[in-house]
Structures are given as structure tokens and as C-alpha cells.
Amino acid sequence: MILENYKEKIEVILSIDIGGTSYKGALVNKNGDIIYRARVKAAEYGSNKKFLYAVSNLILKLTKDLKRNNEKLIAMSFSVPGVIDSDNGIIKYSNNLNIEDVHFKEELNQAFKNIPVFMLNDANAATLGEARKGIAKNYSNVVFLTLGTGVGGGVIINNKLYAGNQFTGAELGHMSIDINGEMCTCGRRGCFEVYASARALVRYTKEGLLKYKDSKMWDEINHNIDEVNGSVSFETLKKYSDDVGAKEVVSKYIRYLSEGILNYCNIFRPDIILIGGGVSEQEDYLVNLINEYCEKYYFGFKATPKPIIKTATLKNDAGIIGAAYFALENLKDK
């Protein structure tokens, strides 16, 4: 009878993706499958103490039913925006959260003894998620670009996450493509993210609307320029291929995005380049335009090993799954 009722415990990783508006968490099994989810509202901007309190609440939500569900917690792992000291578990600085010098691992070890704690930058986590469980899982060399407010990203080289010195490498959005260009929030001029982010696309769209008063883009936003988002120019061009304003906006954006991609082709020579973030919702339409632009250039694309370009598939789960795999792979190395 005892043997009949016995069930082997399921080993799980508690994985949390820290965002600006909410913290999303999950229990993830060793196959990278999410088996339970929870989330909490983000803490007050700029408060280390309230940040830790909100994270603790999410951990409690995720762990309260562990015994009942016959699950065994083997690690915690966190995907966090900003400059992260993964070796020592310290959030050195996060401009998105406006917190700094948070000794995250130390704080958690005091509350949750004997549970290993891991953490990494959110873009690296998303990259690892796509490389292990997403569309790039069969490729050894991966470049992942997230096109949002800025441009984040990560790199997999020979099936290993490239992190650089103190896990601060692969800042793909801060390669300057115009040294006399516009000022970036990082303090340098002409950074890739100033020209290829979703924010940049919104800026180009507003400029196009003001320049072309008869553009069908106005219909897409109900003639309210405050309603502009990253899809307006693309959706207009899909419907009206001869719309001069939409064509100009999309062409400008594709040019900057593709030039950056060509640079990454030459630097890393990846098997696959993934596009994530809000702009990636254009899927094949976006990818086809990028390929069309890149095909014109021999050095970087046409006469060299040509990467596959795809949009990411894990969406909002990429950071959670990637952080879980980061824990699993570090546990194996110990």
C-alpha cells in the first residue's frame, strides 16, 4: 500500500523574470516546462527595500503548495534588467528599476537557506531560453535581438552563453553605427538602439505622419498622433503598398535594423539571428524585408555563411525559461 501511494518528487526551479511593471514567476521542471505561474505588481520605482519585499511575496506565492503537489525546490533563478554580477548575485545597477547595489543572493540566502540562488541579465536569460527551448534550440551559434524601448540582446557561441567580463558583455544595443549621430541614454552618440528600437520606429512614424498628411497611417491611429505605436507603419504598408509615408518609415527602419544585423553577421557569424520584442510581432513580413535588404551585401551576407533570421517564439516566457536553464546548467557544473 505504501509503495502504491509513493510518488517520486518532481524537482523544480523557481524562476522569476523581473520587469518594470510586474514580476512574473513560475515553477519550471528540468525539461524547461512551466508547471505553475504567479505574478505580482512591480515594487515602487527606486526602492531597494520594497523591491526585495515584492520579490519575497512572489516567492511565497510560488512555494506555498510545493509539498502538496509533491514538488521539490532545487534552485531559484532570476532574470533581472541591468548590470548584474551573476557570480556574486548582486544587482549592481538597473536603470529600468532605478535600484543599485542590491546584494540579492545574500538577502535570499538569509531567508531561504540551503537553496542555491542564481541570477543573470534579462536579455541573456531570454537568449538562453530561446536557445534551449525555443526556435533556436537546434543551433550552436545564436544572436538574439530584443527590439523594445531599447535594444537588448544576447549571444550563444558554441552552445554556451557568452557573457563577457563579469557578465557585462553582449550589450548589442550600444554598438555605435553613427559616431556623429543622436545621443543615446548611455551617454554615447549613434548607438544602434537609438535607430533600431521600437521607440525609434515610433519616432520615425510620427515624423512620417507630420510630413505626409494624406498618408493612410492617419487612419490606422484614428487621426490621433498620440496613438502611434510600432505597428502603425507596417500595418499601413501591408494594406496600401503604394502609401509613400508608410513606405518611407518602414524603409528607414529596416535600413538601420539590417545594418546592425549585418555587423553582427560579420562579428559573430551566427547560425541564426532571432528578433524579439514588440516589433517581432510582424513576424515573416519583418523577416522578409530584412532578408531583402541584407541580400544586397556580399560581405556580411550574400557571399558568406548566411544566417537564418527568425522571430522569437517564447515571447514573455523566454526570460523565465532561460533563467531556469541557467540554474540547471550551473547546478550541473558544481
Side-chain angles (χ1 to χ4, degrees), residues 82-229:
V83 180
I84 310 301
D85 179 350
S86 291
D87 290 332
N88 297 302
I90 300 170
I91 302 172
K92 299 179 80 171
Y93 176 65
S94 175
N95 60 308
N96 287 344
L97 308 175
N98 195 28
I99 57 176
E100 60 181 309
D101 196 32
V102 181
H103 289 246
F104 199 36
K105 183 176 179 179
E106 183 181 318
E107 294 278 354
L108 289 171
N109 282 339
Q110 290 177 13
F112 304 93
K113 300 184 186 300
N114 302 320
I115 300 295
V117 175
F118 303 96
M119 59 187 298
L120 74 167
N121 170 270
D122 59 347
N124 284 333
T127 303
L128 195 58
E130 288 289 348
R132 297 294 185 261
K133 190 74 173 177
I135 197 168
K137 65 183 178 182
N138 294 320
Y139 300 94
S140 299
N141 300 288
V142 182
V143 171
F144 181 41
L145 293 171
T146 57
L147 308 176
T149 303
V151 174
V155 180
I156 302 285
I157 298 176
N158 295 330
N159 213 34
K160 290 185 178 181
L161 180 68
Y162 172 77
N165 191 4
Q166 295 185 11
F167 268 78
T168 57
E171 285 288 349
L172 302 184
H174 295 285
M175 165 186 65
S176 180
I177 59 175
D178 183 354
I179 60 172
N180 297 311
E182 297 188 41
M183 183 64 73
C184 179
T185 55
C186 77
R188 298 174 67 211
R189 288 191 176 276
C191 283
F192 182 47
E193 79 167 36
V194 178
Y195 299 96
S197 63
R199 178 186 288 175
L201 179 54
V202 167
R203 186 174 73 249
Y204 302 152
T205 305
K206 288 182 176 179
E207 291 169 355
L209 284 163
L210 294 175
K211 182 177 178 181
Y212 297 98
K213 299 291 186 180
D214 59 346
S215 172
K216 293 292 186 180
M217 289 190 293
W218 283 106
D219 294 338
E220 198 71 25
I221 58 169
N222 296 316
H223 295 266
N224 181 358
I225 200 166
D226 293 329
E227 297 295 318
V228 170
N229 57 45

Side-chain angles (χ1 to χ4, degrees), residues 277-293:
V279 180
S280 70
E281 292 176 7
Q282 297 300 322
E283 297 186 332
D284 287 347
Y285 189 78
L286 173 71
V287 168
N288 290 339
L289 290 171
I290 293 169
N291 275 315
E292 185 180 330
Y293 184 95

Side-chain angles (χ1 to χ4, degrees), residues 53-71:
Y53 182 76
V55 171
S56 296
N57 279 341
L58 182 52
I59 291 172
L60 292 173
K61 278 189 174 187
L62 290 165
T63 57
K64 68 178 182 179
D65 292 328
L66 276 174
K67 289 183 179 178
R68 189 181 71 189
N69 294 328
N70 207 45
E71 292 151 354

